[in-house]
PDB file of all heavy atoms in Angstrom:
ATOM      1  N   GLY A   9       0.828  -1.199   0.000  1.00  0.00           N
ATOM      2  CA  GLY A   9       0.000   0.000   0.000  1.00  0.00           C
ATOM      3  C   GLY A   9       0.864   1.253   0.000  1.00  0.00           C
ATOM      4  O   GLY A   9       2.037   1.236  -0.381  1.00  0.00           O
ATOM      5  N   LYS A  10       0.312   2.348   0.441  1.00  0.00           N
ATOM      6  CA  LYS A  10       1.056   3.608   0.474  1.00  0.00           C
ATOM      7  C   LYS A  10       2.100   3.581   1.587  1.00  0.00           C
ATOM      8  O   LYS A  10       1.840   3.066   2.668  1.00  0.00           O
ATOM      9  CB  LYS A  10       0.096   4.781   0.688  1.00  0.00           C
ATOM     10  CG  LYS A  10      -0.822   5.056  -0.500  1.00  0.00           C
ATOM     11  CD  LYS A  10      -1.677   6.282  -0.252  1.00  0.00           C
ATOM     12  CE  LYS A  10      -2.554   6.580  -1.468  1.00  0.00           C
ATOM     13  NZ  LYS A  10      -3.398   7.785  -1.247  1.00  0.00           N
ATOM     14  N   PRO A  11       3.262   4.158   1.340  1.00  0.00           N
ATOM     15  CA  PRO A  11       4.288   4.202   2.398  1.00  0.00           C
ATOM     16  C   PRO A  11       3.875   5.151   3.517  1.00  0.00           C
ATOM     17  O   PRO A  11       3.039   6.035   3.311  1.00  0.00           O
ATOM     18  CB  PRO A  11       5.529   4.725   1.656  1.00  0.00           C
ATOM     19  CG  PRO A  11       4.976   5.518   0.514  1.00  0.00           C
ATOM     20  CD  PRO A  11       3.730   4.796   0.090  1.00  0.00           C
ATOM     21  N   ASP A  12       4.456   4.960   4.682  1.00  0.00           N
ATOM     22  CA  ASP A  12       4.187   5.831   5.816  1.00  0.00           C
ATOM     23  C   ASP A  12       4.498   7.280   5.426  1.00  0.00           C
ATOM     24  O   ASP A  12       5.609   7.596   4.995  1.00  0.00           O
ATOM     25  CB  ASP A  12       5.057   5.400   7.002  1.00  0.00           C
ATOM     26  CG  ASP A  12       4.818   6.253   8.230  1.00  0.00           C
ATOM     27  OD1 ASP A  12       3.779   6.073   8.886  1.00  0.00           O
ATOM     28  OD2 ASP A  12       5.680   7.112   8.525  1.00  0.00           O
ATOM     29  N   SER A  13       3.512   8.157   5.547  1.00  0.00           N
ATOM     30  CA  SER A  13       3.652   9.538   5.055  1.00  0.00           C
ATOM     31  C   SER A  13       4.738  10.317   5.796  1.00  0.00           C
ATOM     32  O   SER A  13       5.494  11.083   5.177  1.00  0.00           O
ATOM     33  CB  SER A  13       2.315  10.277   5.166  1.00  0.00           C
ATOM     34  OG  SER A  13       1.853  10.287   6.509  1.00  0.00           O
ATOM     35  N   LYS A  14       4.859  10.115   7.112  1.00  0.00           N
ATOM     36  CA  LYS A  14       5.882  10.829   7.883  1.00  0.00           C
ATOM     37  C   LYS A  14       7.276  10.371   7.488  1.00  0.00           C
ATOM     38  O   LYS A  14       8.204  11.174   7.372  1.00  0.00           O
ATOM     39  CB  LYS A  14       5.653  10.614   9.384  1.00  0.00           C
ATOM     40  CG  LYS A  14       4.409  11.293   9.931  1.00  0.00           C
ATOM     41  CD  LYS A  14       4.259  11.033  11.430  1.00  0.00           C
ATOM     42  CE  LYS A  14       3.004  11.708  11.977  1.00  0.00           C
ATOM     43  NZ  LYS A  14       2.823  11.416  13.431  1.00  0.00           N
ATOM     44  N   ALA A  15       7.392   9.074   7.272  1.00  0.00           N
ATOM     45  CA  ALA A  15       8.694   8.522   6.878  1.00  0.00           C
ATOM     46  C   ALA A  15       9.105   9.040   5.505  1.00  0.00           C
ATOM     47  O   ALA A  15      10.252   9.462   5.298  1.00  0.00           O
ATOM     48  CB  ALA A  15       8.629   6.995   6.864  1.00  0.00           C
ATOM     49  N   LEU A  16       8.166   9.024   4.559  1.00  0.00           N
ATOM     50  CA  LEU A  16       8.464   9.469   3.202  1.00  0.00           C
ATOM     51  C   LEU A  16       8.812  10.957   3.177  1.00  0.00           C
ATOM     52  O   LEU A  16       9.760  11.372   2.491  1.00  0.00           O
ATOM     53  CB  LEU A  16       7.269   9.193   2.286  1.00  0.00           C
ATOM     54  CG  LEU A  16       7.491   9.454   0.796  1.00  0.00           C
ATOM     55  CD1 LEU A  16       8.634   8.606   0.260  1.00  0.00           C
ATOM     56  CD2 LEU A  16       6.208   9.182   0.008  1.00  0.00           C
ATOM     57  N   LYS A  17       8.085  11.737   3.927  1.00  0.00           N
ATOM     58  CA  LYS A  17       8.354  13.183   3.996  1.00  0.00           C
ATOM     59  C   LYS A  17       9.759  13.450   4.536  1.00  0.00           C
ATOM     60  O   LYS A  17      10.491  14.300   4.015  1.00  0.00           O
ATOM     61  CB  LYS A  17       7.311  13.853   4.891  1.00  0.00           C
ATOM     62  CG  LYS A  17       7.446  15.371   4.970  1.00  0.00           C
ATOM     63  CD  LYS A  17       6.356  15.966   5.864  1.00  0.00           C
ATOM     64  CE  LYS A  17       6.521  17.481   5.972  1.00  0.00           C
ATOM     65  NZ  LYS A  17       5.472  18.073   6.861  1.00  0.00           N
ATOM     66  N   ALA A  18      10.146  12.711   5.570  1.00  0.00           N
ATOM     67  CA  ALA A  18      11.480  12.881   6.165  1.00  0.00           C
ATOM     68  C   ALA A  18      12.574  12.448   5.187  1.00  0.00           C
ATOM     69  O   ALA A  18      13.618  13.097   5.082  1.00  0.00           O
ATOM     70  CB  ALA A  18      11.576  12.077   7.461  1.00  0.00           C
ATOM     71  N   CYS A  19      12.332  11.358   4.462  1.00  0.00           N
ATOM     72  CA  CYS A  19      13.313  10.873   3.487  1.00  0.00           C
ATOM     73  C   CYS A  19      13.535  11.899   2.384  1.00  0.00           C
ATOM     74  O   CYS A  19      14.677  12.143   1.970  1.00  0.00           O
ATOM     75  CB  CYS A  19      12.861   9.542   2.885  1.00  0.00           C
ATOM     76  SG  CYS A  19      12.992   8.137   4.020  1.00  0.00           S
ATOM     77  N   LYS A  20      12.441  12.489   1.912  1.00  0.00           N
ATOM     78  CA  LYS A  20      12.562  13.526   0.874  1.00  0.00           C
ATOM     79  C   LYS A  20      13.363  14.715   1.401  1.00  0.00           C
ATOM     80  O   LYS A  20      14.271  15.218   0.729  1.00  0.00           O
ATOM     81  CB  LYS A  20      11.162  14.014   0.461  1.00  0.00           C
ATOM     82  CG  LYS A  20      10.358  13.035  -0.357  1.00  0.00           C
ATOM     83  CD  LYS A  20       9.000  13.662  -0.683  1.00  0.00           C
ATOM     84  CE  LYS A  20       8.086  12.725  -1.412  1.00  0.00           C
ATOM     85  NZ  LYS A  20       6.751  13.332  -1.683  1.00  0.00           N
ATOM     86  N   LYS A  21      13.020  15.167   2.590  1.00  0.00           N
ATOM     87  CA  LYS A  21      13.657  16.347   3.166  1.00  0.00           C
ATOM     88  C   LYS A  21      15.145  16.134   3.407  1.00  0.00           C
ATOM     89  O   LYS A  21      15.959  17.037   3.202  1.00  0.00           O
ATOM     90  CB  LYS A  21      12.952  16.703   4.480  1.00  0.00           C
ATOM     91  CG  LYS A  21      13.487  17.967   5.137  1.00  0.00           C
ATOM     92  CD  LYS A  21      12.706  18.291   6.407  1.00  0.00           C
ATOM     93  CE  LYS A  21      13.290  19.528   7.100  1.00  0.00           C
ATOM     94  NZ  LYS A  21      12.536  19.867   8.332  1.00  0.00           N
ATOM     95  N   MET A  22      15.510  14.927   3.836  1.00  0.00           N
ATOM     96  CA  MET A  22      16.892  14.647   4.218  1.00  0.00           C
ATOM     97  C   MET A  22      17.723  14.049   3.081  1.00  0.00           C
ATOM     98  O   MET A  22      18.903  13.773   3.261  1.00  0.00           O
ATOM     99  CB  MET A  22      16.912  13.675   5.407  1.00  0.00           C
ATOM    100  CG  MET A  22      16.072  14.105   6.608  1.00  0.00           C
ATOM    101  SD  MET A  22      16.705  15.571   7.409  1.00  0.00           S
ATOM    102  CE  MET A  22      18.125  14.894   8.268  1.00  0.00           C
ATOM    103  N   SER A  23      17.120  13.875   1.912  1.00  0.00           N
ATOM    104  CA  SER A  23      17.796  13.147   0.832  1.00  0.00           C
ATOM    105  C   SER A  23      19.087  13.819   0.362  1.00  0.00           C
ATOM    106  O   SER A  23      19.986  13.151  -0.149  1.00  0.00           O
ATOM    107  CB  SER A  23      16.852  12.947  -0.357  1.00  0.00           C
ATOM    108  OG  SER A  23      16.416  14.195  -0.876  1.00  0.00           O
ATOM    109  N   LYS A  24      19.207  15.124   0.516  1.00  0.00           N
ATOM    110  CA  LYS A  24      20.431  15.817   0.085  1.00  0.00           C
ATOM    111  C   LYS A  24      21.660  15.324   0.839  1.00  0.00           C
ATOM    112  O   LYS A  24      22.788  15.441   0.359  1.00  0.00           O
ATOM    113  CB  LYS A  24      20.282  17.327   0.272  1.00  0.00           C
ATOM    114  CG  LYS A  24      20.038  17.767   1.713  1.00  0.00           C
ATOM    115  CD  LYS A  24      19.790  19.263   1.795  1.00  0.00           C
ATOM    116  CE  LYS A  24      19.482  19.687   3.227  1.00  0.00           C
ATOM    117  NZ  LYS A  24      19.186  21.150   3.310  1.00  0.00           N
ATOM    118  N   PHE A  25      21.443  14.733   2.015  1.00  0.00           N
ATOM    119  CA  PHE A  25      22.564  14.243   2.816  1.00  0.00           C
ATOM    120  C   PHE A  25      23.077  12.875   2.360  1.00  0.00           C
ATOM    121  O   PHE A  25      24.072  12.379   2.879  1.00  0.00           O
ATOM    122  CB  PHE A  25      22.168  14.177   4.294  1.00  0.00           C
ATOM    123  CG  PHE A  25      21.897  15.534   4.900  1.00  0.00           C
ATOM    124  CD1 PHE A  25      20.610  15.914   5.234  1.00  0.00           C
ATOM    125  CD2 PHE A  25      22.929  16.434   5.110  1.00  0.00           C
ATOM    126  CE1 PHE A  25      20.350  17.164   5.777  1.00  0.00           C
ATOM    127  CE2 PHE A  25      22.690  17.687   5.653  1.00  0.00           C
ATOM    128  CZ  PHE A  25      21.396  18.055   5.983  1.00  0.00           C
ATOM    129  N   LEU A  26      22.406  12.286   1.369  1.00  0.00           N
ATOM    130  CA  LEU A  26      22.889  11.018   0.824  1.00  0.00           C
ATOM    131  C   LEU A  26      24.278  11.178   0.211  1.00  0.00           C
ATOM    132  O   LEU A  26      25.044  10.217   0.128  1.00  0.00           O
ATOM    133  CB  LEU A  26      21.918  10.495  -0.242  1.00  0.00           C
ATOM    134  CG  LEU A  26      20.590   9.916   0.278  1.00  0.00           C
ATOM    135  CD1 LEU A  26      19.626   9.695  -0.867  1.00  0.00           C
ATOM    136  CD2 LEU A  26      20.829   8.617   1.036  1.00  0.00           C
ATOM    137  N   THR A  27      24.608  12.385  -0.210  1.00  0.00           N
ATOM    138  CA  THR A  27      25.927  12.637  -0.802  1.00  0.00           C
ATOM    139  C   THR A  27      27.050  12.451   0.213  1.00  0.00           C
ATOM    140  O   THR A  27      28.214  12.315  -0.166  1.00  0.00           O
ATOM    141  CB  THR A  27      25.996  14.062  -1.378  1.00  0.00           C
ATOM    142  OG1 THR A  27      25.674  14.999  -0.343  1.00  0.00           O
ATOM    143  CG2 THR A  27      25.006  14.237  -2.527  1.00  0.00           C
ATOM    144  N   LYS A  28      26.721  12.460   1.500  1.00  0.00           N
ATOM    145  CA  LYS A  28      27.732  12.294   2.543  1.00  0.00           C
ATOM    146  C   LYS A  28      28.101  10.828   2.779  1.00  0.00           C
ATOM    147  O   LYS A  28      29.078  10.530   3.470  1.00  0.00           O
ATOM    148  CB  LYS A  28      27.226  12.914   3.857  1.00  0.00           C
ATOM    149  CG  LYS A  28      27.070  14.438   3.809  1.00  0.00           C
ATOM    150  CD  LYS A  28      26.626  14.970   5.160  1.00  0.00           C
ATOM    151  CE  LYS A  28      26.550  16.496   5.144  1.00  0.00           C
ATOM    152  NZ  LYS A  28      27.889  17.114   5.046  1.00  0.00           N
ATOM    153  N   LEU A  29      27.304   9.921   2.221  1.00  0.00           N
ATOM    154  CA  LEU A  29      27.538   8.494   2.440  1.00  0.00           C
ATOM    155  C   LEU A  29      28.605   7.956   1.494  1.00  0.00           C
ATOM    156  O   LEU A  29      28.749   8.425   0.366  1.00  0.00           O
ATOM    157  CB  LEU A  29      26.241   7.713   2.231  1.00  0.00           C
ATOM    158  CG  LEU A  29      25.110   7.972   3.227  1.00  0.00           C
ATOM    159  CD1 LEU A  29      23.830   7.318   2.737  1.00  0.00           C
ATOM    160  CD2 LEU A  29      25.477   7.462   4.610  1.00  0.00           C
ATOM    161  N   SER A  30      29.325   6.949   1.947  1.00  0.00           N
ATOM    162  CA  SER A  30      30.341   6.326   1.099  1.00  0.00           C
ATOM    163  C   SER A  30      29.671   5.588  -0.058  1.00  0.00           C
ATOM    164  O   SER A  30      28.542   5.099   0.062  1.00  0.00           O
ATOM    165  CB  SER A  30      31.190   5.340   1.907  1.00  0.00           C
ATOM    166  OG  SER A  30      30.428   4.195   2.257  1.00  0.00           O
ATOM    167  N   SER A  31      30.375   5.508  -1.168  1.00  0.00           N
ATOM    168  CA  SER A  31      29.853   4.833  -2.357  1.00  0.00           C
ATOM    169  C   SER A  31      29.512   3.377  -2.067  1.00  0.00           C
ATOM    170  O   SER A  31      28.496   2.851  -2.540  1.00  0.00           O
ATOM    171  CB  SER A  31      30.889   4.893  -3.485  1.00  0.00           C
ATOM    172  OG  SER A  31      31.183   6.225  -3.812  1.00  0.00           O
ATOM    173  N   GLU A  32      30.369   2.717  -1.293  1.00  0.00           N
ATOM    174  CA  GLU A  32      30.179   1.294  -1.006  1.00  0.00           C
ATOM    175  C   GLU A  32      28.866   1.044  -0.260  1.00  0.00           C
ATOM    176  O   GLU A  32      28.134   0.100  -0.583  1.00  0.00           O
ATOM    177  CB  GLU A  32      31.344   0.751  -0.178  1.00  0.00           C
ATOM    178  CG  GLU A  32      32.673   0.708  -0.909  1.00  0.00           C
ATOM    179  CD  GLU A  32      33.433   2.028  -0.909  1.00  0.00           C
ATOM    180  OE1 GLU A  32      32.910   3.029  -0.364  1.00  0.00           O
ATOM    181  OE2 GLU A  32      34.538   2.073  -1.470  1.00  0.00           O
ATOM    182  N   ARG A  33      28.565   1.892   0.715  1.00  0.00           N
ATOM    183  CA  ARG A  33      27.330   1.703   1.492  1.00  0.00           C
ATOM    184  C   ARG A  33      26.103   1.964   0.630  1.00  0.00           C
ATOM    185  O   ARG A  33      25.099   1.249   0.721  1.00  0.00           O
ATOM    186  CB  ARG A  33      27.315   2.630   2.708  1.00  0.00           C
ATOM    187  CG  ARG A  33      28.424   2.374   3.717  1.00  0.00           C
ATOM    188  CD  ARG A  33      28.269   3.288   4.920  1.00  0.00           C
ATOM    189  NE  ARG A  33      27.310   2.765   5.883  1.00  0.00           N
ATOM    190  CZ  ARG A  33      26.570   3.519   6.701  1.00  0.00           C
ATOM    191  NH1 ARG A  33      26.662   4.819   6.660  1.00  0.00           N
ATOM    192  NH2 ARG A  33      25.738   2.965   7.555  1.00  0.00           N
ATOM    193  N   VAL A  34      26.179   2.982  -0.214  1.00  0.00           N
ATOM    194  CA  VAL A  34      25.051   3.326  -1.087  1.00  0.00           C
ATOM    195  C   VAL A  34      24.781   2.197  -2.080  1.00  0.00           C
ATOM    196  O   VAL A  34      23.650   1.751  -2.245  1.00  0.00           O
ATOM    197  CB  VAL A  34      25.334   4.644  -1.844  1.00  0.00           C
ATOM    198  CG1 VAL A  34      24.297   4.860  -2.954  1.00  0.00           C
ATOM    199  CG2 VAL A  34      25.314   5.823  -0.883  1.00  0.00           C
ATOM    200  N   TRP A  35      25.826   1.703  -2.740  1.00  0.00           N
ATOM    201  CA  TRP A  35      25.647   0.663  -3.751  1.00  0.00           C
ATOM    202  C   TRP A  35      25.166  -0.640  -3.122  1.00  0.00           C
ATOM    203  O   TRP A  35      24.346  -1.367  -3.717  1.00  0.00           O
ATOM    204  CB  TRP A  35      26.941   0.460  -4.524  1.00  0.00           C
ATOM    205  CG  TRP A  35      26.893  -0.566  -5.616  1.00  0.00           C
ATOM    206  CD1 TRP A  35      27.807  -1.546  -5.855  1.00  0.00           C
ATOM    207  CD2 TRP A  35      25.906  -0.717  -6.656  1.00  0.00           C
ATOM    208  NE1 TRP A  35      27.459  -2.297  -6.956  1.00  0.00           N
ATOM    209  CE2 TRP A  35      26.288  -1.816  -7.472  1.00  0.00           C
ATOM    210  CE3 TRP A  35      24.735  -0.034  -6.966  1.00  0.00           C
ATOM    211  CZ2 TRP A  35      25.542  -2.235  -8.569  1.00  0.00           C
ATOM    212  CZ3 TRP A  35      23.975  -0.471  -8.059  1.00  0.00           C
ATOM    213  CH2 TRP A  35      24.380  -1.550  -8.841  1.00  0.00           C
ATOM    214  N   MET A  36      25.621  -0.941  -1.923  1.00  0.00           N
ATOM    215  CA  MET A  36      25.176  -2.158  -1.242  1.00  0.00           C
ATOM    216  C   MET A  36      23.654  -2.129  -1.031  1.00  0.00           C
ATOM    217  O   MET A  36      22.963  -3.125  -1.269  1.00  0.00           O
ATOM    218  CB  MET A  36      25.877  -2.307   0.103  1.00  0.00           C
ATOM    219  CG  MET A  36      25.620  -3.643   0.785  1.00  0.00           C
ATOM    220  SD  MET A  36      26.520  -3.819   2.336  1.00  0.00           S
ATOM    221  CE  MET A  36      28.202  -3.900   1.720  1.00  0.00           C
ATOM    222  N   GLU A  37      23.128  -0.980  -0.621  1.00  0.00           N
ATOM    223  CA  GLU A  37      21.679  -0.849  -0.424  1.00  0.00           C
ATOM    224  C   GLU A  37      20.941  -0.824  -1.759  1.00  0.00           C
ATOM    225  O   GLU A  37      19.897  -1.458  -1.913  1.00  0.00           O
ATOM    226  CB  GLU A  37      21.356   0.428   0.366  1.00  0.00           C
ATOM    227  CG  GLU A  37      21.658   0.334   1.850  1.00  0.00           C
ATOM    228  CD  GLU A  37      20.814  -0.713   2.566  1.00  0.00           C
ATOM    229  OE1 GLU A  37      19.625  -0.884   2.223  1.00  0.00           O
ATOM    230  OE2 GLU A  37      21.350  -1.369   3.477  1.00  0.00           O
ATOM    231  N   MET A  38      21.498  -0.083  -2.730  1.00  0.00           N
ATOM    232  CA  MET A  38      20.822   0.031  -4.023  1.00  0.00           C
ATOM    233  C   MET A  38      20.730  -1.316  -4.736  1.00  0.00           C
ATOM    234  O   MET A  38      19.720  -1.619  -5.379  1.00  0.00           O
ATOM    235  CB  MET A  38      21.546   1.046  -4.910  1.00  0.00           C
ATOM    236  CG  MET A  38      21.204   2.498  -4.597  1.00  0.00           C
ATOM    237  SD  MET A  38      19.427   2.842  -4.697  1.00  0.00           S
ATOM    238  CE  MET A  38      19.056   2.465  -6.409  1.00  0.00           C
ATOM    239  N   LYS A  39      21.766  -2.129  -4.620  1.00  0.00           N
ATOM    240  CA  LYS A  39      21.715  -3.461  -5.241  1.00  0.00           C
ATOM    241  C   LYS A  39      20.555  -4.265  -4.681  1.00  0.00           C
ATOM    242  O   LYS A  39      19.841  -4.961  -5.419  1.00  0.00           O
ATOM    243  CB  LYS A  39      23.036  -4.201  -5.007  1.00  0.00           C
ATOM    244  CG  LYS A  39      24.140  -3.819  -5.957  1.00  0.00           C
ATOM    245  CD  LYS A  39      25.304  -4.783  -5.936  1.00  0.00           C
ATOM    246  CE  LYS A  39      26.130  -4.652  -4.691  1.00  0.00           C
ATOM    247  NZ  LYS A  39      27.390  -5.450  -4.790  1.00  0.00           N
ATOM    248  N   LYS A  40      20.378  -4.189  -3.369  1.00  0.00           N
ATOM    249  CA  LYS A  40      19.293  -4.936  -2.720  1.00  0.00           C
ATOM    250  C   LYS A  40      17.924  -4.412  -3.157  1.00  0.00           C
ATOM    251  O   LYS A  40      16.985  -5.184  -3.340  1.00  0.00           O
ATOM    252  CB  LYS A  40      19.439  -4.860  -1.200  1.00  0.00           C
ATOM    253  CG  LYS A  40      20.672  -5.592  -0.670  1.00  0.00           C
ATOM    254  CD  LYS A  40      20.847  -5.360   0.818  1.00  0.00           C
ATOM    255  CE  LYS A  40      22.105  -6.050   1.342  1.00  0.00           C
ATOM    256  NZ  LYS A  40      22.334  -5.761   2.780  1.00  0.00           N
ATOM    257  N   ILE A  41      17.812  -3.089  -3.304  1.00  0.00           N
ATOM    258  CA  ILE A  41      16.545  -2.501  -3.745  1.00  0.00           C
ATOM    259  C   ILE A  41      16.249  -2.900  -5.184  1.00  0.00           C
ATOM    260  O   ILE A  41      15.119  -3.262  -5.528  1.00  0.00           O
ATOM    261  CB  ILE A  41      16.584  -0.960  -3.610  1.00  0.00           C
ATOM    262  CG1 ILE A  41      16.661  -0.552  -2.134  1.00  0.00           C
ATOM    263  CG2 ILE A  41      15.345  -0.328  -4.258  1.00  0.00           C
ATOM    264  CD1 ILE A  41      16.945   0.920  -1.914  1.00  0.00           C
ATOM    265  N   LEU A  42      17.257  -2.859  -6.033  1.00  0.00           N
ATOM    266  CA  LEU A  42      17.076  -3.152  -7.456  1.00  0.00           C
ATOM    267  C   LEU A  42      16.596  -4.575  -7.714  1.00  0.00           C
ATOM    268  O   LEU A  42      15.894  -4.826  -8.701  1.00  0.00           O
ATOM    269  CB  LEU A  42      18.376  -2.895  -8.219  1.00  0.00           C
ATOM    270  CG  LEU A  42      18.710  -1.428  -8.490  1.00  0.00           C
ATOM    271  CD1 LEU A  42      20.171  -1.270  -8.895  1.00  0.00           C
ATOM    272  CD2 LEU A  42      17.794  -0.845  -9.566  1.00  0.00           C
ATOM    273  N   ILE A  43      16.966  -5.514  -6.842  1.00  0.00           N
ATOM    274  CA  ILE A  43      16.547  -6.906  -7.071  1.00  0.00           C
ATOM    275  C   ILE A  43      15.452  -7.349  -6.103  1.00  0.00           C
ATOM    276  O   ILE A  43      15.121  -8.527  -6.034  1.00  0.00           O
ATOM    277  CB  ILE A  43      17.743  -7.877  -6.986  1.00  0.00           C
ATOM    278  CG1 ILE A  43      18.390  -7.839  -5.601  1.00  0.00           C
ATOM    279  CG2 ILE A  43      18.763  -7.584  -8.076  1.00  0.00           C
ATOM    280  CD1 ILE A  43      19.448  -8.918  -5.391  1.00  0.00           C
ATOM    281  N   SER A  44      14.870  -6.410  -5.370  1.00  0.00           N
ATOM    282  CA  SER A  44      13.804  -6.766  -4.427  1.00  0.00           C
ATOM    283  C   SER A  44      12.517  -7.114  -5.176  1.00  0.00           C
ATOM    284  O   SER A  44      12.369  -6.817  -6.365  1.00  0.00           O
ATOM    285  CB  SER A  44      13.537  -5.608  -3.459  1.00  0.00           C
ATOM    286  OG  SER A  44      13.053  -4.472  -4.159  1.00  0.00           O
ATOM    287  N   LYS A  45      11.587  -7.733  -4.480  1.00  0.00           N
ATOM    288  CA  LYS A  45      10.386  -8.253  -5.142  1.00  0.00           C
ATOM    289  C   LYS A  45       9.462  -7.156  -5.672  1.00  0.00           C
ATOM    290  O   LYS A  45       8.666  -7.391  -6.569  1.00  0.00           O
ATOM    291  CB  LYS A  45       9.617  -9.174  -4.186  1.00  0.00           C
ATOM    292  CG  LYS A  45       9.079  -8.488  -2.937  1.00  0.00           C
ATOM    293  CD  LYS A  45       8.331  -9.472  -2.052  1.00  0.00           C
ATOM    294  CE  LYS A  45       7.773  -8.791  -0.797  1.00  0.00           C
ATOM    295  NZ  LYS A  45       7.046  -9.732   0.069  1.00  0.00           N
ATOM    296  N   ARG A  46       9.574  -5.939  -5.124  1.00  0.00           N
ATOM    297  CA  ARG A  46       8.740  -4.826  -5.600  1.00  0.00           C
ATOM    298  C   ARG A  46       9.627  -3.694  -6.114  1.00  0.00           C
ATOM    299  O   ARG A  46       9.336  -2.521  -5.930  1.00  0.00           O
ATOM    300  CB  ARG A  46       7.839  -4.329  -4.462  1.00  0.00           C
ATOM    301  CG  ARG A  46       6.828  -5.368  -3.999  1.00  0.00           C
ATOM    302  CD  ARG A  46       6.063  -4.928  -2.760  1.00  0.00           C
ATOM    303  NE  ARG A  46       5.393  -3.661  -2.959  1.00  0.00           N
ATOM    304  CZ  ARG A  46       5.570  -2.591  -2.183  1.00  0.00           C
ATOM    305  NH1 ARG A  46       6.422  -2.624  -1.180  1.00  0.00           N
ATOM    306  NH2 ARG A  46       4.908  -1.484  -2.401  1.00  0.00           N
ATOM    307  N   SER A  47      10.711  -4.072  -6.768  1.00  0.00           N
ATOM    308  CA  SER A  47      11.718  -3.082  -7.138  1.00  0.00           C
ATOM    309  C   SER A  47      11.188  -1.979  -8.046  1.00  0.00           C
ATOM    310  O   SER A  47      11.537  -0.811  -7.869  1.00  0.00           O
ATOM    311  CB  SER A  47      12.925  -3.758  -7.788  1.00  0.00           C
ATOM    312  OG  SER A  47      12.543  -4.439  -8.953  1.00  0.00           O
ATOM    313  N   PHE A  48      10.339  -2.319  -9.017  1.00  0.00           N
ATOM    314  CA  PHE A  48       9.872  -1.275  -9.929  1.00  0.00           C
ATOM    315  C   PHE A  48       9.075  -0.204  -9.191  1.00  0.00           C
ATOM    316  O   PHE A  48       9.324   0.998  -9.356  1.00  0.00           O
ATOM    317  CB  PHE A  48       9.017  -1.858 -11.066  1.00  0.00           C
ATOM    318  CG  PHE A  48       8.507  -0.783 -11.997  1.00  0.00           C
ATOM    319  CD1 PHE A  48       9.346  -0.225 -12.950  1.00  0.00           C
ATOM    320  CD2 PHE A  48       7.210  -0.310 -11.888  1.00  0.00           C
ATOM    321  CE1 PHE A  48       8.898   0.795 -13.782  1.00  0.00           C
ATOM    322  CE2 PHE A  48       6.749   0.707 -12.714  1.00  0.00           C
ATOM    323  CZ  PHE A  48       7.590   1.255 -13.670  1.00  0.00           C
ATOM    324  N   ASP A  49       8.114  -0.632  -8.371  1.00  0.00           N
ATOM    325  CA  ASP A  49       7.287   0.329  -7.641  1.00  0.00           C
ATOM    326  C   ASP A  49       8.136   1.193  -6.708  1.00  0.00           C
ATOM    327  O   ASP A  49       7.910   2.399  -6.586  1.00  0.00           O
ATOM    328  CB  ASP A  49       6.215  -0.403  -6.826  1.00  0.00           C
ATOM    329  CG  ASP A  49       5.178  -1.079  -7.707  1.00  0.00           C
ATOM    330  OD1 ASP A  49       5.019  -0.646  -8.863  1.00  0.00           O
ATOM    331  OD2 ASP A  49       4.537  -2.037  -7.248  1.00  0.00           O
TER     332      ASP A  49
END
């Protein structure tokens, strides 16, 4: 269903700080998201 509205709002607001994360940590999470069962949505 719809994601938690407070969580999504916070993620949008704080997303600019993703640039502070190491490449390895980001790619590790993104790989998991890309092959997850609902990856397209």
Side-chain angles (χ1 to χ4, degrees):
K10 291 184 178 180
D12 181 75
S13 58
K14 291 180 180 178
L16 187 59
K17 183 179 178 181
C19 287
K20 288 180 184 178
K21 183 178 177 179
M22 307 293 285
S23 60
K24 61 185 177 182
F25 294 109
L26 286 169
T27 56
K28 294 182 177 291
L29 294 170
S30 70
S31 300
E32 293 83 358
R33 297 183 83 209
V34 169
W35 181 226
M36 188 177 292
E37 285 296 323
M38 280 304 299
K39 279 194 287 189
K40 293 174 182 176
I41 294 170
L42 284 164
I43 61 172
S44 64
K45 63 180 180 180
R46 295 173 56 236
S47 61
F48 179 78
D49 292 337

